[in-house]
Amino acid sequence: MKDKNPNRLTAYGFLVFFLGLKLILSFVLVNSVYELQRDEFLHLDQANHLAAGFTSVPPLTSLFSWLIKAFGNGVFVVKLVPAIIGAITILYCWKIVGFLKGNLLAKCLVAVACICSSLLRLNTLYQPNSFDVLAWTAIFYYLLRYFDQKEAKYLYAFAVFVALGFLNKYNVLFLIIGLLPAIIITPNRKIFTDKHLYLSILLVVLIISPNVIWQIDNHFPVLKHMKLLRATQLVHVNRFDFFIGQFLFFISSIFILLAGIGSLIFYKDFRKYSWIILTYIITLIIFSYFKAKDYYALGLYPVLLAFGAVYLSRVLVKKHILSALLFAFNIGTFIYLLPLLMPVYSPAQIIAHHKRFERVGALRWEDGKNHELPQDYADMQGWKELAAIVDIAYGKVKDKSAVLIRADNYGQAGAVNYYSKYKNINAVSYNADYLYWFKMDKPIKDLILIEWAGDEDPQRKSEQPLFDKITKIGELKNPYAREKGAAVFLLEGAKKEVTGIIKSEIKEEKNDY
């Protein structure tokens, strides 16, 4: 039966428009000079090694990668997946506004707030972060519905997204830790008397159990990964910058965000939703304590934007000029800040506007130092060039079944596997998941090495006694690439002991990791 309600039809039309706009902008606001990002190659390669767990991320991303591979593994499909996830996030924000009895103005406000924010940039990268934000938003939505209607189906939907969030990124555990005290100290603690809560917890356990068992069998590599992360990246995180970042992510939507936070604290009609603002505060404190990266908390914000949009729509009812000014500020500020939020500038343009990027901390890398380009952008340069050099070396190998391609890091290995013209080239590394993907079932005759620019043995003197011939094939010349200067060597005629040495190194690296 057709829906004859014109208002509902108009709302559906606007929703379709915003979802379509979200997808389109995810493509057109990325300069074609940029290639895939370092982490994306690792995630895509996981499709070739499906398992219940990985050292870098939980297994859900590998299933997305398997689907991407099934649809051709092209860049368009790679980019389409996070864009669709971002669009679904907007859909859940729309549903939260609908739950709060928000009007069309509120729905449009939250859609624009999500699009004109750092979430747009997040959804251009094929990483677990996009689904992380979606899972958090869905978790808030289904809890809102459950606390309002006490229907068990919402608890089970909540449980499914907790489980999927866990299988996507363990980051969701911080949200659960923040939720527990927030619910306990509010009247919503009655949830603990509902038997369906415990059945839903059982559902979560069942869904995540393969990954938990994998972690146990592999001696909890997630703990080792977190230790390495703290030592190499989180050590450079400044807590003050963490809190500043929370507002910079949504600077274009700042009025909607502040309205969301303020209304949950002071607005009488939203008082029964106080558990949301408590969860927000507690989770931020936990993240700050552990010196987490600022974007880890992005999943907290769509629900706040939804509340802010509803509150402002009530304040601005029939105040059309003020409503128009709010949209103008949101969209206008986003356009002004667009080069800082999205990779629309080429590397040369970024360097030309160096001061503008430096002022907002966009040039600070994980090492705590400023560089010419934002780290993500430098990580999207030079990969095709590197893969082409490796292909030259690989083409010179006579017995391709007995050659090992060993990269210095997972980005190099993944980029070679993705961009190489040779199928099943299987570049590996002692880094991240690649450490477990070596194929050592037969003796190695030749070795292709990819070494970083700062390597202490550029002449490969340490390998000379182990091979008949060593040739430098080339090095990465792209001046904007993070891997600039990475060199490719072809080591031919391996001695018998080479295979044993590499196996020993693999074992040692696994023990250290």
Side-chain angles (χ1 to χ4, degrees):
M1 185 175 179
K2 292 183 179 180
D3 189 341
K4 297 182 179 180
N5 186 329
N7 291 330
R8 186 176 296 177
L9 289 174
T10 301
Y12 285 151
F14 273 97
L15 176 59
V16 171
F17 167 76
F18 285 120
L19 297 183
L21 181 64
K22 169 72 174 181
L23 295 178
I24 293 170
L25 292 180
S26 295
F27 287 91
V28 301
L29 295 182
V30 178
N31 194 306
S32 60
V33 73
Y34 296 106
E35 301 165 13
L36 293 181
Q37 199 263 357
R38 171 190 303 270
D39 293 349
E40 294 177 295
F41 297 119
L42 172 61
H43 301 143
L44 291 169
D45 232 350
Q46 289 173 348
N48 303 311
H49 307 273
L50 294 178
F54 299 91
T55 59
S56 58
V57 293
L60 185 63
T61 301
S62 67
L63 297 181
F64 285 127
S65 298
W66 181 84
L67 286 173
I68 290 171
K69 184 179 178 181
F71 282 92
N73 220 33
V75 172
F76 175 79
V77 182
V78 174
K79 295 298 184 185
L80 183 62
V81 169
I84 290 175
I85 292 172
I88 297 173
T89 303
I90 292 177
L91 176 60
Y92 267 97
C93 290
W94 196 276
K95 289 165 72 72
I96 293 173
V97 171
F99 165 78
L100 296 172
K101 304 296 189 295
N103 57 18
L104 181 59
L105 172 60
K107 292 176 178 178
C108 292
L109 278 173
V110 76
V112 170
C114 288
I115 292 173
C116 298
S117 72
S118 294
L119 292 179
L120 185 62
R121 168 59 178 155
L122 188 80
N123 299 145
T124 65
L125 296 171
Y126 178 58
Q127 296 176 348
N129 301 315
S130 289
F131 191 86
D132 191 47
V133 174
L134 169 58
W136 288 41
T137 306
I139 286 169
F140 278 114
Y141 170 72
Y142 288 116
L143 278 179
L144 280 167
R145 295 301 299 264
Y146 171 77
F147 288 140
D148 182 65
Q149 299 176 23
K150 302 298 187 294
E151 293 185 24
K153 64 180 181 180
Y154 296 121
L155 268 183
Y156 292 114
F158 159 78
V160 168
F161 272 97
V162 169
L164 291 177
F166 181 91
L167 293 177
N168 170 73
K169 192 175 182 179
Y170 301 124
N171 193 45
V172 75
L173 292 175
F174 289 97
L175 173 60
I176 301 303
I177 295 172
L179 272 169
L180 281 174
I183 292 175
I184 290 172
I185 62 179
T186 61
N188 295 297
R189 56 182 169 271
K190 292 178 183 177
I191 189 177
F192 295 107
T193 64
D194 190 337
K195 67 178 182 180
H196 291 288
L197 171 65
Y198 302 98
L199 291 174
S200 65
I201 292 174
L202 178 60
L203 178 61
V204 172
V205 173
L206 288 174
I207 295 174
I208 71 173
S209 59
N211 181 245
V212 174
I213 293 170
W214 183 89
Q215 286 285 344
I216 294 171
D217 288 345
N218 290 273
H219 309 291
F220 292 98
V222 64
L223 299 179
K224 299 176 183 178
H225 182 72
M226 287 301 300
K227 183 178 180 181
L228 180 64
L229 187 66
R230 284 197 300 269
T232 59
Q233 298 180 22
L234 301 186
V235 67
H236 300 296
V237 172
N238 181 291
R239 289 190 176 96
F240 178 76
D241 291 340
F242 170 83
F243 285 106
I244 292 296
Q246 304 308 305
F247 291 95
L248 291 180
F249 284 136
F250 299 94
I251 192 65
S252 299
S253 316
I254 191 65
F255 292 120
I256 301 175
L257 176 58
L258 292 177
I261 295 173
S263 63
L264 280 165
I265 297 174
F266 302 109
Y267 187 44
K268 182 180 178 181
D269 288 358
F270 289 169
R271 196 160 295 164
K272 61 182 177 180
Y273 307 120
S274 60
W275 61 272
I276 292 178
I277 196 64
L278 288 172
T279 300
Y280 172 70
I281 294 170
I282 295 169
T283 306
L284 282 187
I285 291 173
I286 295 170
F287 274 136
S288 175
Y289 175 79
F290 286 105
K291 299 186 71 175
K293 297 180 183 179
D294 49 11
Y295 69 84
Y296 286 7
L298 275 173
L300 292 167
Y301 290 94
V303 67
L304 296 179
L305 293 173
F307 272 86
V310 172
Y311 175 75
L312 287 176
S313 70
R314 295 179 183 180
V315 172
L316 298 176
V317 63
K318 296 184 179 181
K319 297 178 181 178
H320 304 303
I321 294 178
L322 289 178
S323 298
L325 288 174
L326 182 58
F327 278 111
F329 175 84
N330 203 325
I331 298 171
T333 305
F334 176 72
I335 293 173
Y336 174 74
L337 296 173
L338 191 59
L340 302 175
L341 296 172
M342 298 292 291
V344 292
Y345 276 4
S346 68
Q349 288 174 306
I350 293 174
I351 293 172
H353 296 84
H354 180 85
K355 290 296 183 183
R356 186 182 182 189
F357 285 81
E358 187 176 40
R359 278 196 298 268
V360 297
L363 302 180
R364 189 179 303 115
W365 288 14
E366 290 170 345
D367 60 7
K369 300 177 182 178
N370 283 336
H371 297 260
E372 283 190 329
L373 299 182
Q375 181 170 311
D376 268 351
Y377 297 4
D379 275 336
M380 297 164 68
Q381 291 279 286
W383 301 117
K384 291 181 182 178
E385 180 185 340
L386 182 64
I389 300 171
V390 173
D391 278 352
I392 294 173
Y394 193 71
K396 295 178 180 292
V397 174
K398 296 178 181 179
D399 185 359
K400 290 180 172 52
S401 67
V403 61
L404 176 68
I405 304 172
R406 199 196 77 197
D408 179 66
N409 58 62
Y410 68 82
Q412 295 172 351
V416 169
N417 292 338
Y418 186 80
Y419 286 122
S420 174
K421 65 182 181 181
Y422 296 99
K423 293 184 178 180
N424 303 317
I425 192 169
N426 194 43
V428 289
S429 171
Y430 291 153
N431 186 227
D433 300 317
Y434 287 98
L435 183 58
Y436 298 86
W437 296 344
F438 278 77
K439 295 180 180 179
M440 302 293 295
D441 50 346
K442 62 186 301 183
I444 294 170
K445 294 181 181 179
D446 301 303
L447 177 66
I448 297 175
L449 285 181
I450 309 173
E451 295 291 346
W452 69 299
D455 181 61
E456 296 178 355
D457 187 13
Q459 304 302 318
R460 315 315 313 160
K461 293 181 180 179
S462 61
E463 286 96 358
Q464 287 177 5
L466 300 173
F467 294 87
D468 294 337
K469 182 181 179 182
I470 298 179
T471 307
K472 183 177 180 180
I473 303 300
E475 66 178 53
L476 183 60
K477 300 293 187 182
N478 189 318
Y480 306 118
R482 188 178 178 186
E483 299 286 342
K484 177 189 174 184
V488 178
F489 297 88
L490 173 59
L491 290 68
E492 300 174 272
K495 301 295 189 292
K496 291 182 179 180
E497 60 265 33
V498 168
T499 301
I501 291 172
I502 291 176
K503 286 183 177 179
S504 296
E505 289 176 347
I506 293 171
K507 183 178 180 180
E508 184 179 345
E509 290 291 337
K510 285 182 178 178
N511 290 335
D512 289 344
Y513 194 81

